[in-house]
Amino acid sequence: MSGSGETIGVIGAGQMGAGIAQVSAQAGYRVLLADVSRERAEAGKAGIARQLERLVAKEKIDPAARDAALALIEPVDGAGAFALASLVIEAATEREEIKRRIFADVGAVLGPDAILASNTSSIPITRLAQASPDPARFVGVHFFNPVPVMGLIELIRGLATADATVATVEAFAKRLGKEVVHANDAPGFIVNRVLMPMLNEACFALGEGVAGVRDIDTACRLGLNHPMGPLMLADFIGLDTCLEITRVLFEGTGDPKFRPAPVLVKYVEAGWFGKKAGRGFYDYSGAEPVPTR
């Protein structure tokens, strides 16, 4: 996939999908961007325009590059628009039933040589491939948030994924300037297999009264030399997403060490999903985040 004249489909115009669309367009790919409605797709493109404008303001790209990338992104209505795409990447919410419906819809129009990929962060690729038209042309391609900044992509092959599929998507990822790591189709893959138990344990520590939000985050940030503490990171990822991934790890392995922390479950039940909801372990309504407990 050279990037010249190639068409990429991205399903999901939220933060992850918009990020994937942005870096693909900046690499020269034509991008068809879809969501649950044309309006949501248009809003996703508008968000990309703001991100590119910030890069211009910081003199990281010039106005011509901004305009060229935006011109390559086309909001579309539904899966029917992806008939000419050589690669379609699903970046919807981390719910298996939603992803399966998307794969069935896209599969009805997908070209005979086109590849279908999922940006899932934890759901087994072999299982998801059952909902695709051809498991040999199905693969996991896990980007990290924020996509334009993070330099990593996890590439996960399912049991039936063809070598040619892996090679094509790896070439695409490298065209975007990303480092590629290969993970086996195990729950959580590499990063979330290591990360989510740490975030979940921070939730246990909070719930058990070991320390407050700020002290837990400060201890891990300075003591482990991490850029941010685990509770703030969970807020940025989305507590609902953290809970879904942790449940996948727990159910997929049967290992009790992955049991979701009760405080994480409670926050999600309360609708306190983190930064995107304005409240999680921190309150984001003011100029600076303030711990909620």
Side-chain angles (χ1 to χ4, degrees):
M1 299 180 71
S2 66
S4 176
E6 292 279 4
T7 299
I8 305 298
V10 178
I11 303 173
Q15 193 170 30
M16 287 299 296
I20 295 168
Q22 177 182 325
V23 297
S24 297
Q26 287 183 277
Y29 292 96
R30 179 183 177 224
V31 180
L32 304 176
L33 182 61
D35 207 297
V36 294
S37 67
R38 176 63 175 268
E39 291 73 23
R40 289 279 292 274
E42 293 280 3
K45 182 174 180 179
I48 294 169
R50 291 191 294 272
Q51 293 296 327
L52 291 172
E53 188 57 44
R54 291 190 185 100
L55 294 179
V56 171
K58 294 178 181 178
E59 298 184 343
K60 293 188 175 181
I61 63 172
D62 58 34
R66 172 200 61 201
D67 295 343
L70 282 175
L72 287 171
I73 300 171
E74 179 185 351
V76 296
D77 289 312
F82 295 124
L84 297 179
S86 56
L87 169 64
V88 176
I89 301 171
E90 168 273 316
T93 187
E94 193 72 354
R95 299 287 295 277
E96 184 169 346
E97 65 274 15
I98 293 174
K99 294 180 184 294
R100 282 179 170 273
R101 286 198 298 269
I102 290 170
F103 300 148
D105 290 343
V106 175
V109 300
L110 200 66
D113 298 316
I115 293 170
L116 184 55
S118 176
N119 183 55
T120 180
S121 53
S122 61
I123 302 172
I125 298 303
T126 299
R127 195 165 76 211
L128 288 178
Q130 296 173 353
S132 73
D134 181 3
R137 291 182 287 123
F138 188 89
V139 68
V141 53
H142 182 209
F143 290 79
F144 292 82
N145 188 37
V147 176
V149 175
M150 300 295 280
L152 179 68
I153 288 178
E154 285 182 321
L155 194 55
I156 308 102
R157 67 189 305 157
L159 190 62
T161 305
D163 290 343
T165 298
V166 173
T168 298
V169 177
E170 182 167 10
F172 163 73
K174 290 181 177 178
R175 173 80 183 189
L176 303 186
K178 305 298 186 184
E179 183 80 17
V180 176
V181 294
H182 294 262
N184 290 324
D185 189 21
F189 316 133
I190 301 171
V191 173
N192 281 324
R193 177 67 176 258
V194 175
L195 174 64
M196 285 302 155
M198 184 185 75
L199 303 189
N200 195 45
E201 191 60 31
C203 294
F204 271 115
L206 177 66
E208 293 169 8
V210 173
V213 169
R214 191 180 299 279
D215 284 337
I216 290 172
D217 273 358
T218 300
C220 293
R221 182 169 54 84
L222 299 180
L224 300 176
N225 199 26
H226 289 186
M228 70 173 66
L231 298 175
M232 181 170 279
L233 177 56
D235 271 358
F236 274 68
I237 294 170
L239 302 189
D240 53 337
T241 300
C242 290
L243 180 57
E244 288 290 339
I245 296 171
T246 303
R247 282 174 169 161
V248 167
L249 287 167
F250 183 45
E251 294 165 5
T253 64
D255 193 326
K257 73 181 180 184
F258 295 116
R259 177 176 65 90
V263 71
L264 176 61
V265 176
K266 286 296 184 185
Y267 274 47
V268 172
E269 289 176 343
W272 296 0
F273 298 153
K275 192 172 188 298
K276 63 186 175 184
R279 182 166 187 165
F281 293 116
Y282 291 83
D283 184 335
Y284 296 91
S285 60
E288 296 290 336
V290 177
T292 53
R293 58 183 290 181

